[in-house]
Amino acid sequence: MVELIKQVEAIPETYPDVPDGLSTAAAALDSDFLWQRIENYVAHRWTTREVVWTVDGPGDFVPNLTPISVTSVEVWSEGAWTSVTLNPMPLGGYWLPSACAYRVTADVGGGDVPAVVNEAFKRLAEYAAATVEEPGAASYRYTVGQLSVSWRKSPDWIAKGLVQSGAADLLRPYRRA
């Protein structure tokens, strides 16, 4: 069975465009941060970047990100990386024949962002914009005459943003490669 030793994913030069229809507050947020939160949750990438997997064979190696275009495969042999050619498996991935370390390098990402993913981005952005009353504030209280309003946000509010905004439900089909 193949064991993943290390995965290094480069930061892309750009992230997808911000979808139309955001409120002013949501549009003012850092869109790269929001795309990073979405990409952390799913296996799909919509902008290309290099990913390098170091794995220990033998066995079938199926990359955990998609879409991919493998650019090189190397095997650790006699103290150095040596280029090898592997045949792809019929259902995806590559058969690694020997019990040794392999380094698989690929360009990952590309394609148009589906409408449902743009909707997930919007939901996350609007959720984040609606819960940021004062930067760094964990709670606030307003009093006008006899009317008093108080609010306290959980310290993990942004970590739960994908779920609480409904974005996670929309992204479920993109969780696996």
Side-chain angles (χ1 to χ4, degrees):
M1 180 172 193
V2 172
E3 178 183 354
L4 177 64
I5 298 170
K6 185 178 182 181
Q7 176 178 318
V8 178
E9 182 175 351
I11 297 171
E13 289 182 26
T14 62
Y15 285 95
D17 293 334
V18 174
D20 294 331
L22 293 175
S23 68
T24 303
L29 296 174
D30 180 1
S31 64
D32 286 359
F33 169 77
L34 296 170
W35 278 117
Q36 288 166 5
R37 296 291 304 151
I38 289 171
E39 286 188 349
N40 189 53
Y41 189 73
V42 298
H44 285 248
R45 302 294 183 260
W46 289 277
T47 53
T48 305
R49 79 285 315 267
E50 182 180 79
V51 179
V52 179
W53 291 274
T54 305
V55 295
D56 193 24
D60 188 14
F61 170 64
V62 179
N64 57 354
L65 299 174
T66 191
I68 72 162
S69 174
V70 173
T71 57
S72 72
V73 179
E74 300 165 297
V75 62
W76 184 256
S77 176
E78 299 179 14
W81 290 109
T82 305
S83 182
V84 295
T85 301
L86 299 176
N87 293 323
M89 298 294 290
L91 299 177
Y94 294 86
W95 178 255
L96 308 178
S98 303
C100 57
Y102 291 85
R103 183 166 61 189
V104 179
T105 304
D107 290 330
V108 177
D112 295 331
V113 179
V116 71
V117 175
N118 277 329
E119 179 60 27
F121 181 94
K122 288 180 191 178
R123 289 184 183 193
L124 180 60
E126 296 297 346
Y127 172 84
T131 56
V132 178
E133 296 298 326
E134 295 177 34
S139 64
Y140 71 83
R141 175 182 287 272
Y142 292 114
T143 303
V144 178
Q146 293 181 336
L147 179 63
S148 179
V149 176
S150 63
W151 175 84
R152 180 171 182 82
K153 71 179 172 189
S154 170
D156 58 355
W157 67 273
I158 196 65
K160 294 181 179 180
L162 281 167
V163 173
Q164 293 181 348
S165 68
D169 289 337
L170 298 174
L171 295 170
R172 191 167 292 144
Y174 302 96
R175 296 262 309 156
R176 297 180 192 268

